[in-house]
């Protein structure tokens, strides 16, 4: 076993693909997931565990770190958990926008803090990976709080790398384009056949590969 990692939001979609890839590569993995129904697939796997709770709760993150370190030395932390909900400045107001920005930024801050503390205490260094989005640099309509939060996540990544790089802590961001997840499939279902076909064609034209990315490609 090469070490242990914590992945937030590892119950479905991209997070689940990341957990699976880490397990396949020989890591022990603990995921932090709010919805207990999404982590039943980990049952019976000797090198995997789940902590059900809020990734913004430091005590939840500490519990995940303890579980991971109990299986193998903690070597990595992936901040993947996110909230997808829009709010408009002119109607919802700044307080709502700030709350939603915090909902997406706080898991990365909490996870990074717990991971860095553990790496420094062990004297081994380690890796923090923050999952961001193309919207950090190129927002689209209908996702203002999310775009703001992801820009802050990328700033957090750079600052963490500068601050703790001399101690052997690496910090990186994976900034995703559009990924074919269950959430995307649900959206197409809600749109109906004609509108879904139009969205698929727009996505084909927008992406250099002519298609959306896949969760397993993100994990790789």
């Amino acid at each position: 076993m090469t070490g242990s990692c914590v992945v937030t939001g590892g119950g479905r979609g991209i997070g689940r693909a990341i957990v699976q890839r880490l397990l396949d590569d020989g890591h022990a993995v603990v995921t932090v997931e709010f919805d207990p129904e999404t982590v039943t697939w980990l049952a019976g796997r000797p090198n995997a565990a789940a902590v059900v709770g809020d990734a913004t709760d430091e005590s939840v993150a500490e519990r995940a770190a303890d579980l991971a370190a109990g299986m193998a030395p903690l070597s990595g932390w992936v901040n993947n958990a996110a909230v997808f909900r829009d709010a408009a400045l002119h109607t919802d107001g700044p307080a709502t926008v700030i709350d939603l920005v915090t909902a997406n930024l706080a898991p990365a801050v909490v996870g990074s803090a717990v991971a860095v503390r553990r790496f420094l205490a062990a004297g081994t260094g380690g890796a923090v990976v923050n999952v961001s989005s193309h919207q950090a640099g190129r927002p689209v309509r209908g996702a203002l709080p999310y775009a703001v939060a992801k820009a802050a996540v990328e700033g957090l990544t750079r600052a963490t790398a500068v601050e703790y790089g001399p101690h052997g802590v690496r910090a990186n961001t994976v900034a995703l384009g559009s990924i074919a997840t269950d959430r995307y499939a649900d959206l197409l279902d809600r749109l109906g056949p004609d509108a879904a076909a139009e969205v698929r064609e727009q996505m084909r034209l927008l992406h250099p590969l002519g298609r959306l990315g896949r969760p397993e490609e993100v994990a790789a």
Side-chain angles (χ1 to χ4, degrees):
M1 192 178 298
T2 56
S4 69
C5 298
V6 173
V7 179
T8 66
R12 59 164 66 93
I14 293 164
R16 176 168 175 161
I18 293 169
V19 171
Q20 186 62 63
R21 175 59 186 256
L22 288 168
L23 291 170
D24 291 345
D25 287 350
H27 297 274
V29 184
V30 175
T31 185
V32 176
E33 180 58 67
F34 194 75
D35 182 359
E37 302 263 334
T38 65
V39 292
T40 55
W41 69 280
L42 292 173
R45 294 172 181 255
N47 298 328
V51 173
V52 175
D54 189 340
T56 66
D57 186 334
E58 193 172 355
S59 66
V60 170
E62 291 284 4
R63 197 155 73 246
D66 286 339
L67 263 178
M71 292 189 283
L74 183 65
S75 58
W77 195 290
V78 182
N79 291 308
N80 168 70
V83 176
F84 299 96
R85 188 184 142 209
D86 191 29
L89 287 171
H90 69 292
T91 54
D92 296 292
T96 299
V97 170
I98 289 168
D99 285 346
L100 287 173
V101 170
T102 301
N104 276 299
L105 176 59
V109 175
V110 170
S112 296
V114 172
V116 167
R117 273 203 303 263
R118 297 296 179 115
F119 297 151
L120 294 179
T124 57
V128 176
V129 178
N130 295 318
V131 177
S132 181
S133 165
H134 65 97
Q135 293 204 51
R138 191 171 293 177
V140 300
R141 292 188 185 95
L144 187 147
Y146 182 78
V148 173
K150 289 305 185 182
V153 165
E154 294 194 3
L156 170 69
T157 304
R158 296 185 184 97
T160 301
V162 169
E163 195 77 24
Y164 298 105
H167 302 282
V169 176
R170 293 177 291 117
N172 288 278
T173 294
V174 179
L176 310 183
S178 299
I179 307 297
T181 62
D182 290 343
R183 194 169 66 89
Y184 176 71
D186 290 343
L187 169 65
L188 295 181
D189 287 343
R190 290 197 304 272
L191 290 174
D194 293 341
E198 184 178 347
V199 168
R200 287 192 186 95
E201 178 62 10
Q202 289 173 352
M203 288 296 185
R204 185 187 70 79
L205 295 172
L206 279 170
H207 292 79
L209 292 179
R211 62 168 176 83
L212 273 65
R214 302 187 182 103
E216 60 270 23
E217 292 172 325
V218 178

